[in-house]
Amino acid sequence: MLFHDRREAGRELAGLLARRLDEGTLGSPFVLALPRGGVPIGDEIARALGAPLDVVVARKIGAPYNPEVGVGALAGEGPPLFDERTLAMLDLTADRLAPQVARERTEMHRREDLYRGGRPAPEVSGRTVVVVDDGLATGVTARAALRAVRGMGPGRLLLAVPVGSQEAAEALTAEADEVLCPHRPSLFHAVGQWYEDFDQVGDEEVVAILRRYAAAP
């Protein structure tokens, strides 16, 4: 285990980023967390940086016969991303996954409305955006989120995750200006194996955290 819980992981990342802020290399940062697991981590980072916090909602696209098997992801209004190797291995095509994509896009919009409480999407044009999650396994969900955020016109785009597979972290350097992933174990099976407490984060917790930031002057 690397971390007791997501809060501890968030504090480690927050310390690394706070030093950069003090050095003047972060500009005016805006933190965007992937719900739900990334939000407590994003909360720790945003508090340390004195930055705003919001969410970028990305949805995994599951295989038709087993939704837990992720074959792609979507975020924003762009087209879905698929893991081509997984599609080939499972003998699937993007067309066959159209019903799953439609369901996940509907759920994505529902969650955006729920978490923001009717607030518009944040304006991050020209700012340093720090996209946060609780870990990287395949990286396909983070890739979809980064592409969606890139389309919002940030001045600089960072991905900050406490732990991830070496392969996924390296691959995502093509999507972000920097990938901050301090722990990259050589044997990586799942994000949850690196946390003592990896209980699911509830919608109520996400909404409560975001409301604090929405109410801030």
Side-chain angles (χ1 to χ4, degrees):
M1 304 270 181
L2 283 171
F3 307 108
H4 171 63
D5 58 12
R6 293 178 178 88
R7 291 281 176 183
E8 182 182 41
R11 287 191 291 272
E12 179 177 319
L13 284 177
L16 297 174
L17 289 164
R19 284 198 288 274
R20 298 183 182 204
L21 185 68
D22 292 341
E23 294 164 358
T25 60
L26 272 187
S28 176
F30 200 117
V31 180
L32 290 179
L34 276 80
R36 294 177 290 212
V39 174
I41 294 177
D43 186 22
E44 295 289 341
I45 293 172
R47 285 194 290 175
L49 301 182
L53 173 68
D54 209 307
V55 290
V56 51
V57 181
R59 296 292 299 167
K60 179 177 72 175
I61 300 167
Y65 53 84
N66 187 352
E68 293 304 311
V69 176
V71 298
L74 59 86
E77 298 307 317
L81 298 178
F82 293 107
D83 184 323
E84 297 298 334
R85 288 189 301 177
T86 303
L87 288 185
M89 185 172 61
L90 299 177
D91 194 26
L92 291 171
T93 64
D95 288 345
R96 186 178 170 191
L97 291 165
Q100 283 85 349
V101 171
R103 284 196 297 270
E104 293 302 339
R105 197 175 294 279
T106 297
E107 177 63 12
M108 179 188 72
H109 290 148
R110 186 194 73 80
R111 291 190 181 220
E112 287 172 340
D113 291 342
L114 172 65
Y115 297 150
R116 293 199 176 108
R119 298 185 301 274
E123 174 54 61
V124 300
S125 178
R127 300 185 69 161
T128 296
V129 176
V130 182
V131 173
V132 178
D133 204 359
D134 53 14
L136 289 175
T138 66
V140 67
T141 305
R143 185 184 300 274
L146 288 167
R147 289 193 183 180
V149 175
R150 184 70 81 181
M152 299 164 72
R156 190 160 178 253
L157 181 57
L158 278 72
L159 174 66
V161 292
V163 61
S165 75
Q166 181 69 27
E167 181 181 9
E170 289 179 355
L172 288 171
T173 59
E175 305 292 342
D177 298 311
E178 181 181 355
V179 175
L180 178 61
C181 180
H183 299 285
R184 304 181 185 191
S186 57
L187 296 176
F188 191 100
H189 301 294
V191 173
Q193 76 184 103
W194 306 104
Y195 290 84
E196 182 180 357
D197 176 0
F198 199 63
D199 287 348
Q200 188 176 76
V201 177
D203 285 338
E204 298 83 358
E205 182 177 352
V206 172
V207 171
I209 290 171
L210 294 179
R211 278 178 179 164
R212 294 204 310 269
Y213 288 88

